[in-house]
Amino acid sequence: PRYHPDWGSLDARPLPAWFDQAKVGVFVHWGVFSVPAWGSEWFWWHWQGEHRPDYERFVQRRTYFPLRYVVLTTKHHEGFTNWGSPVSWNWNSLDTGPHRDLVGELGQALRESNIRYGLYHSLLEWFNPLYLADKESGFKTQNFVLKKTMPELYDLVLKYKPDLIWSDGDWEAPESYWNSTSFLAWLYNDSPVKDTVVVNDRWCNNCSCHHGGYYNCADKYKPGTLPAHKWEMCSSIDKLSWGYRSNMNIAELMDEASIIEELVQTVSFGGNYLLNVGPTKEGVIVPIFQERLLALGTWLDTNGEAIYESKPWRVQMENSTDTVWYTSKGPVVYAIFLIWPQDNVLELSSPTPSPATQVTMLGFAGTLKWQKSPGKGLLITLPYMLPSPLPPQSGWTVKLEGVK
């Protein structure tokens, strides 16, 4: 029968039998709200219609991600390039494997998210006949450098305009072989990124910790004191490898507390912290690595004020312990403590309080009570935390204003 445009007619239509028979279905919500992928499918309304603070904070975090830069391996020591290098025939990601420009695709994605892009590049190649011949000559010939290494470095800069070049593979030959100084002069003077690019210190066999841009010095380098030169600590979630290992086990991975501790120590000493994950061959960051990165991001959501744009304070760590570390921004001092005191009282002997001193805790509303320590410094009464006995994170930050 034909149904009429009134409820009496429409409601009389029998329900098709398949629906009652089916019983189970899958609901798929997919639309522009899938781009931010946060909150709910009402994202646009909560953000632009109601101006809800939590949605506006999310948009701000999307603009300024917890990770401020990413460094991708464009070529490791075996010589395979993750872009279509014109001097790496059939040994690159365009001619074989994924047949994709991995360097370019990741760069575009990062820049759409306002994340700085760094390119790791190995100067040497273990098995390249040109390199082996140069090595055999005692590095008196430079065929490999002139035909392979330098053309690739220039190509990377001109094609992808990186914010950072993370050089490696430098340790076997002097700067006279690598032509490093000539390349860096061009990079700083005439390249398209001459005013913005940053480089590390691995450009020759005696360059590390002495020459280049910022210092890496060595893998997982920890200076122990405040260096006079800008530096970076590179570390890896997998303590035994930089690349993905299918045979790794949980005991061989850094936990959240260890990652935060390394980060805090590094930043207190004025360094940058570059944390490594190794994707699978499919380009997937496995769940355990995701969990570690997300935990770090969550911690930075609360404590990032003490990390981003901070400077070392006059004291880097509390003199009686290595579980309290300091950073600063102008007159403001941040004390990051890695172990929650059992009596809920944090003792700091390095800051000198004044009548105007005010103490707050990042992620906690309101001010904290404090009093002068019997010796020097101050005693801070921390908030009572639930669930008992401690919150499920590692590392908390008190913000000190009006201290000397």
Side-chain angles (χ1 to χ4, degrees), residues 294-370:
L294 290 169
L296 176 60
T298 299
W299 188 85
L300 285 167
D301 274 346
T302 299
N303 299 278
E305 179 184 334
I307 300 296
Y308 301 124
E309 291 89 36
S310 69
K311 300 287 185 183
W313 193 43
R314 61 173 172 81
V315 173
Q316 285 73 63
M317 69 177 106
E318 190 59 62
N319 55 22
S320 60
T321 175
D322 63 355
T323 61
V324 180
W325 296 81
Y326 291 101
T327 63
S328 68
K329 284 184 184 176
V332 177
V333 178
Y334 300 92
I336 307 171
F337 55 105
L338 303 176
I339 297 178
W340 191 277
Q342 289 187 343
D343 57 1
N344 269 22
V345 175
L346 179 65
E347 182 175 3
L348 302 177
S349 61
S350 298
T352 303
S354 71
T357 294
Q358 181 171 291
V359 181
T360 53
M361 182 172 171
L362 299 187
F364 179 80
T367 58
L368 302 184
K369 293 181 179 179
W370 66 272

Coordinates of all heavy atoms in Angstrom, one line a residue, residues 294-370:
L294 N 52.4 8.6 25.4 CA 51.2 9.3 25.9 C 51.3 9.6 27.4 O 50.9 10.7 27.8 CB 50.0 8.4 25.7 CG 49.6 8.2 24.2 CD1 48.5 7.1 24.1 CD2 49.0 9.5 23.7
A295 N 52.0 8.8 28.1 CA 52.2 9.1 29.6 C 53.1 10.3 29.7 O 52.9 11.2 30.6 CB 52.9 7.9 30.3
L296 N 54.1 10.4 28.9 CA 55.0 11.6 28.9 C 54.2 12.8 28.5 O 54.3 13.9 29.1 CB 56.2 11.4 27.9 CG 57.1 12.6 27.8 CD1 57.7 13.0 29.1 CD2 58.2 12.2 26.7
G297 N 53.4 12.7 27.5 CA 52.5 13.8 27.1 C 51.6 14.3 28.2 O 51.4 15.5 28.4
T298 N 51.0 13.3 28.9 CA 50.1 13.6 30.0 C 50.8 14.4 31.1 O 50.3 15.3 31.7 CB 49.4 12.4 30.5 OG1 48.7 11.7 29.5 CG2 48.5 12.6 31.7
W299 N 52.0 13.9 31.4 CA 52.8 14.5 32.4 C 53.2 16.0 32.0 O 53.1 16.9 32.8 CB 54.1 13.7 32.7 CG 54.9 14.2 33.9 CD1 54.7 13.9 35.2 CD2 56.0 15.2 33.8 NE1 55.6 14.6 36.0 CE2 56.4 15.4 35.2 CE3 56.6 15.9 32.8 CZ2 57.4 16.3 35.5 CZ3 57.6 16.8 33.1 CH2 58.0 16.9 34.5
L300 N 53.5 16.2 30.8 CA 53.9 17.5 30.3 C 52.6 18.4 30.2 O 52.8 19.6 30.4 CB 54.5 17.4 28.9 CG 56.0 16.9 28.9 CD1 56.4 16.5 27.5 CD2 56.9 17.9 29.5
D301 N 51.5 17.9 30.0 CA 50.2 18.7 30.0 C 50.1 19.4 31.4 O 49.7 20.5 31.4 CB 49.0 17.8 29.8 CG 48.7 17.6 28.3 OD1 49.2 18.3 27.5 OD2 47.9 16.7 28.0
T302 N 50.5 18.7 32.5 CA 50.4 19.3 33.8 C 51.7 20.1 34.1 O 51.6 21.2 34.7 CB 50.2 18.2 34.8 OG1 49.0 17.5 34.6 CG2 50.2 18.8 36.2
N303 N 52.9 19.5 33.8 CA 54.1 20.1 34.3 C 55.0 20.8 33.3 O 56.1 21.3 33.6 CB 55.0 19.0 34.9 CG 54.3 18.3 36.1 OD1 54.3 18.8 37.2 ND2 53.6 17.2 35.8
G304 N 54.4 20.9 32.0 CA 55.2 21.5 31.0 C 55.6 22.9 31.2 O 56.6 23.4 30.7
E305 N 54.9 23.7 32.1 CA 55.3 25.0 32.4 C 56.7 25.1 33.0 O 57.4 26.1 32.8 CB 54.3 25.6 33.4 CG 54.6 27.1 33.8 CD 53.6 27.6 34.8 OE1 52.4 27.1 34.9 OE2 54.0 28.5 35.6
A306 N 57.1 24.1 33.7 CA 58.4 24.0 34.3 C 59.5 23.5 33.3 O 60.7 23.5 33.7 CB 58.4 23.1 35.5
I307 N 59.0 23.1 32.1 CA 60.0 22.4 31.2 C 60.2 23.3 30.0 O 61.3 23.8 29.7 CB 59.4 21.1 30.7 CG1 59.3 20.1 32.0 CG2 60.3 20.5 29.7 CD1 60.6 19.8 32.6
Y308 N 59.1 23.7 29.3 CA 59.2 24.4 28.0 C 59.7 25.9 28.3 O 59.2 26.5 29.3 CB 57.8 24.5 27.3 CG 57.2 23.2 27.0 CD1 56.0 22.8 27.4 CD2 58.0 22.3 26.1 CE1 55.4 21.6 27.0 CE2 57.4 21.1 25.8 CZ 56.1 20.7 26.2 OH 55.6 19.5 25.9
E309 N 60.6 26.3 27.5 CA 61.2 27.7 27.6 C 61.8 27.9 29.0 O 62.0 29.1 29.3 CB 60.1 28.7 27.3 CG 59.6 28.8 25.9 CD 58.5 27.9 25.6 OE1 57.6 27.7 26.5 OE2 58.4 27.3 24.5
S310 N 62.1 26.9 29.7 CA 62.8 27.1 31.0 C 64.3 27.3 30.9 O 64.9 27.0 29.8 CB 62.5 26.0 32.0 OG 63.2 24.8 31.5
K311 N 64.9 27.8 32.0 CA 66.3 28.0 32.0 C 66.9 27.3 33.3 O 66.1 27.1 34.3 CB 66.7 29.5 32.1 CG 66.3 30.3 30.9 CD 67.1 30.0 29.7 CE 66.7 30.9 28.5 NZ 67.5 30.6 27.3
P312 N 68.1 26.9 33.3 CA 68.7 26.3 34.5 C 68.7 27.4 35.6 O 68.9 28.6 35.4 CB 70.1 26.0 34.2 CG 70.1 25.8 32.7 CD 69.1 26.8 32.2
W313 N 68.4 27.0 36.8 CA 68.5 27.9 38.0 C 69.9 28.0 38.5 O 70.8 27.2 38.0 CB 67.5 27.5 39.1 CG 67.2 28.5 40.1 CD1 67.0 29.8 40.0 CD2 67.1 28.2 41.5 NE1 66.8 30.4 41.2 CE2 66.8 29.5 42.2 CE3 67.2 27.1 42.3 CZ2 66.7 29.6 43.6 CZ3 67.0 27.2 43.7 CH2 66.8 28.4 44.3
R314 N 70.1 28.8 39.5 CA 71.5 28.9 40.1 C 71.9 27.6 40.8 O 73.1 27.3 40.9 CB 71.6 30.0 41.1 CG 70.7 29.9 42.3 CD 70.9 31.0 43.3 NE 69.9 31.0 44.4 CZ 70.0 30.2 45.5 NH1 70.9 29.2 45.6 NH2 69.0 30.2 46.4
V315 N 70.9 26.8 41.2 CA 71.1 25.4 41.7 C 70.3 24.5 40.8 O 69.2 24.7 40.5 CB 70.6 25.3 43.1 CG1 70.7 23.9 43.6 CG2 71.5 26.2 44.0
Q316 N 71.0 23.4 40.4 CA 70.3 22.5 39.5 C 69.5 21.4 40.3 O 68.4 20.9 39.9 CB 71.2 21.8 38.5 CG 71.7 22.7 37.4 CD 72.7 23.8 37.9 OE1 73.7 23.5 38.3 NE2 72.3 25.0 37.8
M317 N 70.1 20.9 41.4 CA 69.4 19.9 42.2 C 69.5 20.3 43.7 O 70.5 21.0 44.1 CB 70.0 18.5 41.9 CG 71.4 18.3 42.4 SD 72.0 16.6 42.1 CE 73.1 16.9 40.8
E318 N 68.6 19.8 44.4 CA 68.7 20.0 45.9 C 69.9 19.4 46.4 O 70.2 18.2 46.1 CB 67.4 19.4 46.5 CG 67.2 19.8 48.0 CD 67.1 21.3 48.2 OE1 66.2 21.9 47.6 OE2 68.0 21.8 48.8
N319 N 70.7 20.1 47.3 CA 72.0 19.6 47.6 C 72.0 18.4 48.5 O 73.1 17.7 48.6 CB 72.8 20.8 48.3 CG 72.0 21.3 49.6 OD1 71.2 20.6 50.1 ND2 72.4 22.5 50.0
S320 N 70.9 18.0 49.1 CA 70.9 16.8 49.9 C 70.4 15.6 49.2 O 70.4 14.5 49.7 CB 70.1 17.1 51.2 OG 68.7 17.4 50.8
T321 N 69.9 15.8 47.9 CA 69.2 14.7 47.3 C 69.2 14.9 45.8 O 69.3 16.0 45.3 CB 67.8 14.5 47.7 OG1 67.2 13.5 47.0 CG2 67.0 15.8 47.6
D322 N 69.2 13.8 45.0 CA 69.0 13.9 43.5 C 67.6 13.7 43.1 O 67.3 13.3 42.0 CB 70.0 13.0 42.8 CG 69.7 11.5 43.1 OD1 68.9 11.2 43.9 OD2 70.4 10.7 42.5
T323 N 66.6 13.8 44.0 CA 65.2 13.6 43.7 C 64.5 14.9 43.6 O 63.3 14.9 43.3 CB 64.6 12.7 44.7 OG1 64.6 13.3 46.0 CG2 65.3 11.3 44.8
V324 N 65.1 16.0 43.8 CA 64.5 17.3 43.6 C 65.4 18.1 42.7 O 66.6 18.3 42.9 CB 64.4 18.1 44.9 CG1 63.7 19.5 44.7 CG2 63.5 17.3 45.9
W325 N 64.8 18.6 41.6 CA 65.5 19.3 40.5 C 64.8 20.7 40.2 O 63.6 20.8 40.4 CB 65.5 18.5 39.2 CG 66.2 17.2 39.4 CD1 65.8 16.0 40.0 CD2 67.6 16.9 39.1 NE1 66.7 15.1 40.0 CE2 67.9 15.6 39.5 CE3 68.6 17.7 38.5 CZ2 69.1 15.0 39.3 CZ3 69.9 17.1 38.3 CH2 70.1 15.8 38.7
Y326 N 65.7 21.7 39.9 CA 65.2 23.0 39.7 C 65.3 23.5 38.2 O 66.2 23.1 37.5 CB 66.0 24.0 40.5 CG 65.8 23.8 42.0 CD1 66.7 23.1 42.8 CD2 64.7 24.4 42.6 CE1 66.5 23.0 44.2 CE2 64.4 24.2 44.0 CZ 65.4 23.5 44.8 OH 65.2 23.4 46.1
T327 N 64.3 24.2 37.8 CA 64.3 25.0 36.6 C 63.8 26.4 36.9 O 63.3 26.7 38.0 CB 63.5 24.4 35.5 OG1 62.1 24.4 35.9 CG2 63.9 23.0 35.1
S328 N 63.9 27.3 36.0 CA 63.4 28.7 36.3 C 62.9 29.4 35.0 O 63.3 29.0 33.9 CB 64.5 29.5 36.9 OG 65.6 29.8 36.0
K329 N 62.1 30.4 35.2 CA 61.7 31.4 34.2 C 61.7 32.7 34.8 O 60.8 33.1 35.6 CB 60.3 31.0 33.6 CG 60.2 29.8 32.7 CD 58.8 29.7 32.2 CE 58.7 28.4 31.3 NZ 57.3 28.2 30.9
G330 N 62.7 33.5 34.5 CA 62.9 34.8 35.1 C 63.0 34.7 36.6 O 63.7 33.9 37.1
P331 N 62.1 35.4 37.4 CA 62.2 35.3 38.8 C 61.5 34.1 39.4 O 61.6 33.8 40.6 CB 61.5 36.6 39.3 CG 60.5 36.9 38.2 CD 61.1 36.4 36.9
V332 N 60.7 33.3 38.6 CA 60.0 32.2 39.0 C 60.9 30.9 39.1 O 61.6 30.7 38.1 CB 58.8 31.9 38.1 CG1 58.0 30.7 38.6 CG2 57.8 33.1 38.1
V333 N 60.8 30.2 40.2 CA 61.6 29.0 40.3 C 60.7 27.8 40.4 O 59.6 27.9 41.1 CB 62.5 29.1 41.6 CG1 63.3 27.8 41.8 CG2 63.4 30.2 41.5
Y334 N 61.0 26.7 39.7 CA 60.2 25.5 39.8 C 61.1 24.4 40.4 O 62.2 24.2 40.0 CB 59.8 25.0 38.4 CG 59.0 26.0 37.6 CD1 59.6 27.0 36.8 CD2 57.6 26.1 37.8 CE1 58.8 27.9 36.1 CE2 56.8 27.0 37.1 CZ 57.5 27.9 36.2 OH 56.7 28.8 35.6
A335 N 60.5 23.7 41.4 CA 61.1 22.6 42.0 C 60.3 21.3 41.7 O 59.2 21.2 42.0 CB 61.2 22.8 43.5
I336 N 61.0 20.4 40.9 CA 60.3 19.2 40.5 C 60.9 18.1 41.4 O 62.1 17.8 41.4 CB 60.7 18.9 39.0 CG1 60.3 20.1 38.1 CG2 59.9 17.7 38.5 CD1 60.8 20.0 36.7
F337 N 60.0 17.5 42.1 CA 60.4 16.4 43.0 C 59.8 15.0 42.5 O 58.7 14.9 42.1 CB 59.9 16.7 44.5 CG 58.5 16.9 44.7 CD1 57.7 15.9 45.2 CD2 57.9 18.1 44.3 CE1 56.3 16.2 45.5 CE2 56.6 18.4 44.6 CZ 55.8 17.4 45.1
L338 N 60.7 14.1 42.5 CA 60.5 12.8 41.9 C 59.9 11.7 42.9 O 59.3 10.7 42.5 CB 61.7 12.2 41.2 CG 62.4 13.1 40.2 CD1 63.7 12.5 39.7 CD2 61.4 13.4 39.0
I339 N 60.0 12.0 44.2 CA 59.5 11.1 45.2 C 58.6 11.9 46.1 O 59.0 13.0 46.6 CB 60.7 10.4 46.0 CG1 61.5 9.5 45.1 CG2 60.1 9.6 47.1 CD1 62.7 8.9 45.7
W340 N 57.4 11.4 46.3 CA 56.5 12.2 47.2 C 56.9 11.9 48.7 O 57.0 10.8 49.1 CB 55.1 11.7 47.0 CG 54.0 12.5 47.6 CD1 53.6 12.4 48.9 CD2 53.2 13.5 47.0 NE1 52.6 13.3 49.2 CE2 52.4 14.0 48.0 CE3 53.2 14.1 45.7 CZ2 51.5 15.1 47.7 CZ3 52.3 15.1 45.5 CH2 51.4 15.6 46.5
P341 N 57.1 13.0 49.5 CA 57.5 12.8 50.8 C 56.4 12.1 51.7 O 55.2 12.4 51.5 CB 57.8 14.2 51.3 CG 57.1 15.1 50.4 CD 57.0 14.4 49.1
Q342 N 56.8 11.2 52.5 CA 55.9 10.4 53.3 C 55.0 11.2 54.2 O 53.8 10.9 54.4 CB 56.6 9.3 54.1 CG 57.1 8.2 53.2 CD 57.7 7.0 54.0 OE1 58.0 7.2 55.2 NE2 57.9 5.9 53.4
D343 N 55.6 12.3 54.8 CA 54.8 13.1 55.7 C 54.1 14.3 55.0 O 53.6 15.2 55.6 CB 55.7 13.7 56.8 CG 56.9 14.5 56.2 OD1 57.0 14.6 54.9 OD2 57.7 15.0 57.0
N344 N 54.1 14.3 53.6 CA 53.4 15.3 52.9 C 54.1 16.7 53.0 O 53.4 17.7 52.7 CB 51.9 15.4 53.2 CG 51.1 14.5 52.3 OD1 51.6 13.6 51.7 ND2 49.8 14.8 52.2
V345 N 55.3 16.7 53.5 CA 56.0 18.0 53.7 C 57.3 17.9 52.8 O 58.1 17.1 53.0 CB 56.3 18.3 55.1 CG1 57.2 19.6 55.2 CG2 55.1 18.4 56.0
L346 N 57.4 18.9 51.9 CA 58.5 19.0 51.0 C 59.5 20.0 51.6 O 59.1 21.2 51.7 CB 58.1 19.4 49.6 CG 59.2 19.5 48.6 CD1 59.9 18.2 48.3 CD2 58.6 20.1 47.3
E347 N 60.7 19.6 51.9 CA 61.7 20.5 52.4 C 62.7 20.9 51.3 O 63.3 20.0 50.6 CB 62.5 19.8 53.5 CG 63.6 20.8 54.1 CD 64.3 20.2 55.4 OE1 64.0 19.0 55.7 OE2 65.1 20.9 56.0
L348 N 62.8 22.2 51.1 CA 63.7 22.7 50.1 C 64.7 23.7 50.8 O 64.3 24.7 51.4 CB 62.9 23.5 49.0 CG 61.9 22.7 48.2 CD1 61.2 23.7 47.3 CD2 62.5 21.6 47.5
S349 N 66.0 23.4 50.7 CA 67.0 24.2 51.4 C 67.6 25.2 50.5 O 68.2 26.2 51.0 CB 68.1 23.3 52.0 OG 68.7 22.6 51.0
S350 N 67.5 25.1 49.2 CA 68.2 26.0 48.3 C 67.5 27.3 48.1 O 68.2 28.4 48.1 CB 68.4 25.3 46.9 OG 69.2 24.2 47.0
P351 N 66.2 27.4 47.9 CA 65.5 28.7 47.8 C 65.5 29.5 49.1 O 65.3 28.9 50.2 CB 64.1 28.4 47.3 CG 64.1 26.9 46.9 CD 65.2 26.3 47.8
T352 N 65.7 30.8 49.1 CA 65.5 31.6 50.3 C 64.2 32.3 50.2 O 64.0 33.2 49.3 CB 66.7 32.6 50.3 OG1 67.9 32.0 50.3 CG2 66.6 33.5 51.6
P353 N 63.3 32.0 51.2 CA 62.0 32.7 51.1 C 62.0 34.1 51.6 O 62.9 34.6 52.2 CB 61.1 31.8 52.1 CG 62.1 31.3 53.0 CD 63.4 31.1 52.3
S354 N 60.9 34.8 51.2 CA 60.7 36.2 51.7 C 59.3 36.4 52.1 O 58.5 35.5 51.9 CB 61.0 37.2 50.5 OG 60.0 37.1 49.5
P355 N 58.9 37.5 52.7 CA 57.5 37.7 53.1 C 56.6 37.6 51.9 O 55.4 37.3 52.1 CB 57.5 39.1 53.7 CG 58.9 39.3 54.2 CD 59.8 38.6 53.2
A356 N 57.1 37.8 50.7 CA 56.2 37.8 49.5 C 56.1 36.5 48.9 O 55.5 36.3 47.8 CB 56.7 38.9 48.5
T357 N 56.8 35.5 49.4 CA 56.9 34.2 48.8 C 55.5 33.5 48.7 O 54.7 33.5 49.6 CB 57.8 33.2 49.6 OG1 59.1 33.7 49.5 CG2 57.8 31.8 49.0
Q358 N 55.2 33.0 47.5 CA 54.0 32.3 47.2 C 54.3 31.0 46.6 O 55.1 30.9 45.7 CB 53.0 33.1 46.3 CG 51.7 32.4 46.1 CD 50.7 33.4 45.4 OE1 50.2 34.3 45.9 NE2 50.4 33.1 44.1
V359 N 53.6 29.9 47.0 CA 53.9 28.6 46.5 C 52.6 27.9 46.0 O 51.6 28.0 46.7 CB 54.5 27.7 47.7 CG1 54.8 26.3 47.1 CG2 55.7 28.3 48.3
T360 N 52.7 27.5 44.8 CA 51.6 26.7 44.2 C 52.1 25.4 43.6 O 53.3 25.2 43.5 CB 50.9 27.5 43.1 OG1 51.9 28.0 42.1 CG2 50.2 28.8 43.6
M361 N 51.2 24.5 43.2 CA 51.6 23.3 42.7 C 50.9 23.1 41.3 O 49.7 23.3 41.2 CB 51.2 22.1 43.6 CG 51.6 20.7 43.1 SD 51.3 19.5 44.4 CE 51.6 18.0 43.4
L362 N 51.7 22.8 40.3 CA 51.2 22.7 38.9 C 50.1 21.6 38.9 O 50.4 20.5 39.4 CB 52.3 22.5 37.9 CG 53.3 23.6 37.8 CD1 54.3 23.3 36.6 CD2 52.7 24.9 37.6
G363 N 49.0 21.9 38.4 CA 47.9 20.9 38.3 C 47.0 20.9 39.5 O 46.1 20.1 39.6
F364 N 47.3 21.8 40.5 CA 46.5 21.8 41.7 C 46.0 23.2 42.0 O 46.8 24.2 42.0 CB 47.3 21.3 42.9 CG 46.6 21.3 44.2 CD1 45.7 20.3 44.5 CD2 46.9 22.3 45.1 CE1 45.1 20.3 45.8 CE2 46.2 22.4 46.3 CZ 45.3 21.3 46.7
A365 N 44.8 23.4 42.2 CA 44.2 24.8 42.4 C 44.5 25.3 43.8 O 44.6 24.5 44.8 CB 42.7 24.8 42.2
G366 N 44.8 26.6 43.9 CA 45.1 27.2 45.2 C 46.5 27.3 45.5 O 47.4 26.6 44.9
T367 N 46.8 28.0 46.6 CA 48.2 28.1 47.1 C 48.5 27.1 48.2 O 47.5 26.5 48.8 CB 48.5 29.5 47.7 OG1 47.5 29.7 48.7 CG2 48.3 30.6 46.6
L368 N 49.7 26.8 48.4 CA 50.2 25.8 49.4 C 50.7 26.6 50.6 O 51.4 27.6 50.5 CB 51.2 24.9 48.8 CG 50.9 24.1 47.6 CD1 52.0 23.1 47.2 CD2 49.6 23.3 47.8
K369 N 50.5 26.0 51.8 CA 51.1 26.6 53.0 C 52.5 26.2 53.1 O 53.0 25.1 52.7 CB 50.3 26.0 54.2 CG 48.9 26.5 54.3 CD 48.2 25.9 55.6 CE 46.8 26.3 55.7 NZ 46.1 25.8 56.9
W370 N 53.3 27.2 53.6 CA 54.7 27.0 53.8 C 55.2 27.7 55.0 O 54.5 28.6 55.5 CB 55.5 27.4 52.5 CG 55.5 28.9 52.3 CD1 54.5 29.6 51.6 CD2 56.4 29.9 52.8 NE1 54.8 31.0 51.6 CE2 55.9 31.1 52.4 CE3 57.5 29.8 53.6 CZ2 56.6 32.3 52.7 CZ3 58.2 31.0 53.9 CH2 57.7 32.2 53.5

